[in-house]
Amino acid sequence: MIDTSLIRNFSIIAHIDHGKSTLSDRMIQLCGNVSNREMKEQILDSMDIERERGITIKAQTVRLDYRAKDGKTYQLNLMDTPGHVDFAYEVSRCLAACEGAVLVVDASQGVEAQTLANVYQALDNDLEILPVLNKVDLPAADADRVKQQIEDVIGLDASDAIPISAKTGVNVDAVLEAIVGRLPPPQGDASKPLKALLIDSWYDAYLGVVVLVRVLEGSLRKGQKIKLMSTDASYQVDRVGVFRPKQEMMDALGPGEVGFFTASIKEVADTRVGDTVTDERNPTSQALPGFKPAQPVVFCGLFPVDAADFADLREAMGRLRLNDASFSYEMETSAALGLGFRCGFLGLLHLEIITERLDREFNLDLIATAPSVIYQIHLTDGTMMEMHNPADMPDPVRIDRIDEPWITSTIMVPDEHLGGVLKLCQDRRGRQKNLTYAGSRAMLVYELPLNEVVFDFYDRLKSISKGYASFDYQIMDYEPGDLVKMQILVNAEPVDALSIIVHRSRADARGRTMCEKLKELIPQHLFQIPVQAAIGGRIIARETIRALRKDVIAKCYGGDITRKRKLLEKQKAGKKKMRQFGKVEIPQEAFIAALKMEEN
């Protein structure tokens, strides 16, 4: 077993695009884990979609052996974490398994909203934080201003923050020296019974479920009988190993070490993140506190365009669920769209990533319904039901009140765009809680209904601030709201997928906007199509798609007018009949585009 004083466990945390994965690449290169021939950018990002978008979705771990200037060889367990707010639960899991965190701040952009959120998570876990200023090679970099900002906004001493360029590799060795010198080693007793924290698990087609653990006490050996404390299930360990970033098998993992094991576990659902792994014969007396399970905040229906693809969709969902425990789904049926699934996501980026993976990896054509949040409906008989889908809304006569989820959001924005952002938050029924300044940037704290944020708030915020604003949020609580269900009727038929829950004060404007949009998006048919928005039995907006006129008299050359009149009468009668039975084809892009709110 390695001496625990030579181990350092740390996460790299930062806002999106501040250079976490690039810094990991340089560290891996410096420690000689990967030859120059095998080295590629974002080496820890394994999914194609991560590499294309340049974002990290899954947190990744790697063990590095670093020979420090004091002549000792240290074992560094590095965890590269995502920066996007939707994947904040990945960050919280990694921080629980570390003693320190490297906080990367872009020397040209400064402190952003997600930087704050991640620092507060790290401080909640009592971690030692090491500030690093990245991108100092850029012309716009201003290290002194950003140091001051870190001290003003976060309250961390940034006087010895290390200026680096992860892209060119400048000064990265100083970060490794600081990790060894300034971050504390793990504590743990190898003679005690095994106690290990389950950080993550995923499915491997050859090995079954691979479980990532951080050993706190005792040791985890090959062939050992272990028990998962939350489910009381026992397994025999087949393999024990570490990632460097390739898998490397070991005989055992000791206190303070991070590694993986396989134990013929069939389903990822059997391994709960945050669970305690212990020895079956000699268990530890007290389980670890664990994590709260990831709570889905956005719900959306996914339906196959071709009903025959339903079985393939069900299989694809099952396989995605194997590698993403935060994604949940259940079957549902819709009058307009047939059989499909109601899925829960952690946010809109998560929704986008899952639908893109279904399209790429499983070749499925899908229709996604309007994203909605969970409402709590209090009925007149005193019971409370949760509503995930607007189509399930009970009769308004039975409803006493509807509660909707609210969030506390932190927005960092340059001073010149502040007015536009304040107006956006007011328009979305926000309540201002705080407004402070750090240099020329304002930090806004707003309470907002999640329903107003969930669709395109982030896009609007980015366009108003020319891309400079950053946004982060936490779920706060449920509050009563004056909410109604708005239905869209196309040719007098309700379209389930376009039903939404809106605040009564905004229903008319929202209905008008959606009808206008659908008028542009639905192609013309041979008959006139009314598009209406309705609340209950009351129509609040209407647009009419004009009929496509086929020229039936084109083939009549001169001659008697009665011939032409006869053809026109026949066409008129045909259109009337068509109008009665006419089925309207709504293209898929119309569903998504109709729900995006355009605000002038």
Side-chain angles (χ1 to χ4, degrees), residues 379-557:
L379 302 172
T380 46
D381 61 3
T383 56
M384 189 272 284
M385 63 174 274
E386 284 197 340
M387 180 180 72
H388 297 186
N389 185 351
D392 301 337
M393 187 150 168
D395 185 357
V397 180
R398 294 174 49 215
I399 298 174
D400 176 33
R401 69 170 201 273
I402 304 176
D403 291 356
E404 59 178 338
W406 279 66
I407 60 169
T408 305
S409 63
T410 309
I411 300 168
M412 311 274 295
V413 61
D415 198 17
E416 63 267 29
H417 304 301
L418 181 62
V421 173
L422 285 169
K423 183 178 181 308
L424 173 70
C425 292
Q426 288 305 131
D427 288 349
R428 297 293 170 96
R429 298 193 282 133
R431 300 191 294 243
Q432 188 177 326
K433 285 288 157 199
N434 202 351
L435 171 58
T436 49
Y437 274 89
S440 63
R441 304 184 67 194
M443 185 171 114
L444 277 170
V445 179
Y446 251 91
E447 288 177 357
L448 289 156
L450 184 58
N451 177 16
E452 300 283 349
V453 172
V454 85
F455 208 84
D456 62 346
F457 180 83
Y458 193 63
D459 298 351
R460 299 274 319 138
L461 181 68
K462 285 287 181 196
S463 65
I464 286 170
S465 65
K466 299 194 169 49
Y468 284 109
S470 62
F471 173 68
D472 176 63
Y473 68 86
Q474 278 89 31
I475 300 289
M476 193 172 73
D477 205 359
Y478 276 81
E479 292 186 16
D482 185 10
L483 303 167
V484 289
K485 173 184 169 183
M486 184 172 82
Q487 278 190 311
I488 298 292
L489 310 171
V490 176
N491 204 13
E493 291 288 324
V495 182
D496 277 0
L498 293 174
S499 300
I500 54 170
I501 303 285
V502 285
H503 195 264
R504 197 183 295 275
S505 63
R506 308 194 52 195
D508 291 18
R510 198 67 205 272
R512 274 197 301 278
T513 313
M514 281 180 79
C515 289
E516 283 164 14
K517 279 228 151 154
L518 285 167
K519 183 183 177 182
E520 293 163 23
L521 295 160
I522 297 174
Q524 284 183 309
H525 289 51
L526 289 170
F527 50 90
Q528 192 173 309
I529 305 168
V531 178
Q532 298 161 310
I535 294 173
R538 186 169 72 92
I539 303 293
I540 56 170
R542 167 174 171 143
E543 291 287 336
T544 307
I545 299 169
R546 290 176 55 186
L548 192 65
R549 185 167 179 274
K550 183 181 173 190
D551 193 358
V552 286
I553 55 174
K555 58 181 185 283
C556 300
Y557 301 104

Side-chain angles (χ1 to χ4, degrees), residues 213-231:
V213 290
R214 152 77 200 267
V215 180
L216 295 160
E217 286 171 350
S219 61
L220 177 68
R221 299 175 182 284
K222 199 172 154 182
Q224 185 177 7
K225 284 287 284 243
I226 55 149
K227 184 171 85 169
L228 300 178
M229 290 182 84
S230 71
T231 54

Side-chain angles (χ1 to χ4, degrees), residues 151-170:
E151 291 184 359
D152 294 347
V153 179
I154 306 176
L156 276 180
D157 176 20
S159 54
D160 48 4
I162 305 163
I164 64 159
S165 165
K167 191 175 180 184
T168 58
V170 171

